[in-house]
Amino acid sequence: MKERVRFERRDTTTDADGSPRKGWSPIWTCWAEYRPQFGGEKLKAGQFESTQRGNLTVRRCFESEAITAGDRVVFVSGGYAGQTANIESIVNTPDRAFREYLLTSGTAT
């Protein structure tokens, strides 16, 4: 496991005036293994869209069990440092020692 990643959750707290805060809050940082799949490019609503999918594997533990598909991943170090990805689905490996996260990241231009 050579990628350092940070899991983040959308901030659901409110400011003193009662307005919701915007942004993401860190919830857990760990080492992981990332295996990218082939990227895709398509024209959507007149914009060029390029996406990448991949599988992220982490050791199963209390913190990894708390991650949901509504959270996101930020690559902290390694070859993808600085990139952010959405979590599409989560599964435990058959031996239940690891958790697999299907990630999608991309941009529209």
Side-chain angles (χ1 to χ4, degrees):
M1 298 201 173
K2 57 188 173 192
E3 305 285 341
R4 189 82 170 151
V5 297
R6 180 178 62 241
F7 290 89
E8 295 181 342
R9 184 163 290 153
R10 190 172 297 280
D11 200 340
T12 58
T13 59
T14 57
D15 289 328
D17 63 1
S19 61
R21 290 186 181 175
K22 296 179 182 173
W24 295 83
S25 298
I27 53 175
W28 183 47
T29 301
C30 67
W31 290 101
E33 183 68 33
Y34 183 64
R35 292 177 316 283
Q37 299 174 357
F38 291 105
E41 298 173 345
K42 62 183 175 180
L43 189 62
K44 183 176 179 181
Q47 292 185 324
F48 183 68
E49 188 175 79
S50 177
T51 60
Q52 179 176 326
R53 294 175 65 133
N55 291 348
L56 185 77
T57 304
V58 302
R59 293 192 188 282
R60 189 167 175 243
C61 64
F62 177 78
E63 291 86 354
S64 68
E65 291 286 330
I67 304 300
T68 69
D71 299 330
R72 73 177 187 177
V73 173
V74 178
F75 289 86
V76 177
S77 67
Y80 299 94
Q83 292 186 24
T84 302
N86 296 319
I87 300 172
E88 295 227 355
S89 65
I90 306 167
V91 295
N92 291 321
T93 57
D95 63 3
R96 301 190 60 78
F98 298 93
R99 291 197 80 178
E100 293 271 340
Y101 302 89
L102 175 61
L103 305 181
T104 302
S105 61
T107 59
T109 58

